[in-house]
Amino acid sequence: MAEKNVSKVKNVVLVGQGGVGKTMLAEAMLHLTGATTRLGGHAGTKPTLDYDSQESERGFSISTTIAPITWENTRINVLDAPCYPDFVGDAYSAMSAVETALFVVDAASGPGTITTRLWFAAEDLSLCRALFINRLDRPDADYETAMAMLQDRFGSSLGAVTIPMGSGEAFSGIIDVVHQKARKLVDGKPEVTDIPAEFQAEAEAARAALTELVVEADDELMMRYLEGGEITQEELEGLLGKALMERIFVPVFSGSCVREEGVISLLDAIDGWFPTMSDFGRIPLVNGEQLDISPDDERPVAFAFKSLQDPQNGKLTFVKVLAGTVSAGAELINARTRKPERLSHLYRMCGKDTADVSTAAAGDIVVVPKLEAMTGDTLSVTGKVEAAAFRFPNSLYRTAIEPDERGTEGKLFAFLEKAADADPTLKVERDEDTGQTIVSAIGEAQVAVLLERLEQRAGVSAHKVALRIPYRETIRRVASAQGRHKKQTGGSGQYGDCWLRIEPNPDAGYEFVDEIVGGHIPRGFIPAIDKGVQETMREGVLAGYPMIDVKVAVYEGSYHPVDSNEMAFKTAARIGFQKAVDQAEPVLLEPMAHLEITVPDSYAGSVMGDVSASRGRVEGMSSGTGVSAGETTIKATIPYAEVTDYATRLRSLSRGTGEYTVELAGYEQVPHDIQARLAAEYAERRAAGER
């Protein structure tokens, strides 16, 4: 990984559906540029980029890795982002650090649901976009169908810059539409020839279509073209980068990563006319202003777009230099914390391998060890520059984690907190109502990987358990009862006597009223009665859940001048309250959740049917409110107990295309059968001496 002189830096992220060959494309780039001596991940060789043992076991990328390559004096930082649904958050963060998102698409299956989601995410980030149709050498490959699917999904701005010579077993290389040449590898070496006669007409048609598309980037050239004039080769090449930058053109490349066909043409295009960071001119800041990007600006500004916990090196932070030059040993101020942070070392990272570098200029990406900075933080000389944050997908899969052995809870929580600091799509919290440690993630596989790393790196074995639902109890009618506590133990005894009246107090919480007159209970004992009631309410009579929305009045009682004390009246209050509750029609309440679900129209019926089957009610729906036409948004209220696994369920219902938000929306009475079941379970636990 020796440093080479470069004149410019370009950053490209590889995204798309899982399993379409993104990592293999990056491996081919590394091999063809001489960064590696063999094509990693093929024919039994170990991949350079998917080096984590869990990635090898699962067969897909889990974390973003970087392939820094040099091609024609240009450093191209290729970010290989995971796009398996549970780890797609890394793709979002990687897109925040690049100028171009390159979507890899399978020549047989076309664009998938994750490809579509990330396409619109790239659009929101104002990234330039390009496509690489891969696996054209497979028997079921169909370039024409794949291209038609892409144009149908993403619009008419797609233009082929390379097209295949045949497909399947007949695939023999690609045609460079821009230069009207045939290109292929012969014994691993590039060969450029004239276009074979059988592909000449197709190549000329593709060039005409490309010219018609990119000429829109220049009004003068467009007018000449519309009037029948010719566009020269030099003018066409000049239009490509401009049209890409203005988002009126999405280049489409073709090839096979395993055979490395079409990859050199892609590298030439990235070097020749893909944008650099300075081409964008400005970067949006949190305060609504813009950070001007100028090669003459020497004030260093760096943006942390990813963190990871490395077993050997500890915390590593991936940083993109937004302005100036960052040097090893420099001290910059974190805009979020307002604290200085020292960049003790700068690494250039290729897969798991690191190499020290002394400086990194604007546009480049380096890795810094042991920073306190979190994903999304901005570091600068003044600490006043803060780049606008990007939006991660919602972490709606929630589960509870428990250690297998007692006494390891502290190590468990410490590891989970560090993991959450490194990955913003992971959230860890302690639920005070249920006493559980809750992890929120994008999906089940993300939690499974987390538990495996917990055991490997912290030596703590843990497992998932079902979320405990924070049920509540209340009453439905007014009732009164006496609480009397009398105990004689020789000498001073205990005596407390109070009459309590309880009544429903809807949506008003707990309320205590003192109605004692005539001194039947001394004022000093009233707070003890209040406290005794509140302690009793912490564990309801039906199923042991806290009671809410109850108004309690103490209106009568008696005391003993010697034996009465606060403890006696607190005990009497507990006895009286429990008796009164038994007569007040106690009921169990369950938390309700308000869901807003967005799915393609074709899945709306299935989603609404599932809502109804889950004791929910649809409260409204509208169409065309999503990122593209053909989507329906459904608003529903549903018991929270029915949606703890909704992330997994919706993925199945909508084939991974659905999204939703959820928020708690009050409590409602549970059906009688559920109340009876929970009460029976509580009785069993009490009988066994458990809580």
Side-chain angles (χ1 to χ4, degrees), residues 255-319:
S256 166
C257 298
V258 170
R259 288 172 51 176
E260 299 183 304
E261 294 285 4
V263 180
I264 289 178
S265 293
L266 173 62
L267 289 167
D268 285 343
I270 295 173
D271 166 61
W273 41 272
F274 273 36
T276 64
M277 187 182 67
S278 61
D279 290 327
F280 282 83
R282 293 183 166 189
I283 291 175
L285 303 179
V286 167
N287 60 7
E289 297 179 358
Q290 300 278 333
L291 173 66
D292 289 319
I293 300 172
S294 169
D296 300 324
D297 192 343
E298 297 180 355
R299 299 168 298 173
V301 178
F303 177 66
F305 67 91
K306 174 182 169 58
S307 297
L308 62 82
Q309 288 291 335
D310 184 79
Q312 283 76 41
N313 301 303
K315 183 181 179 182
L316 297 177
T317 304
F318 291 58
V319 169

Side-chain angles (χ1 to χ4, degrees), residues 8 10 18 32 91 96 125 145 168 184 264 276 283 297 383 387 438 452 471 473 543 556 572 681:
K8 52 192 172 182
K10 300 187 178 185
L32 289 170
S96 72
L125 289 167
T145 299
K184 60 182 177 180
I264 289 178
T276 64
I283 291 175
D297 192 343
I438 308 296
E452 289 174 17
Y471 292 102
E473 298 183 21
E556 186 57 85
E681 292 173 357

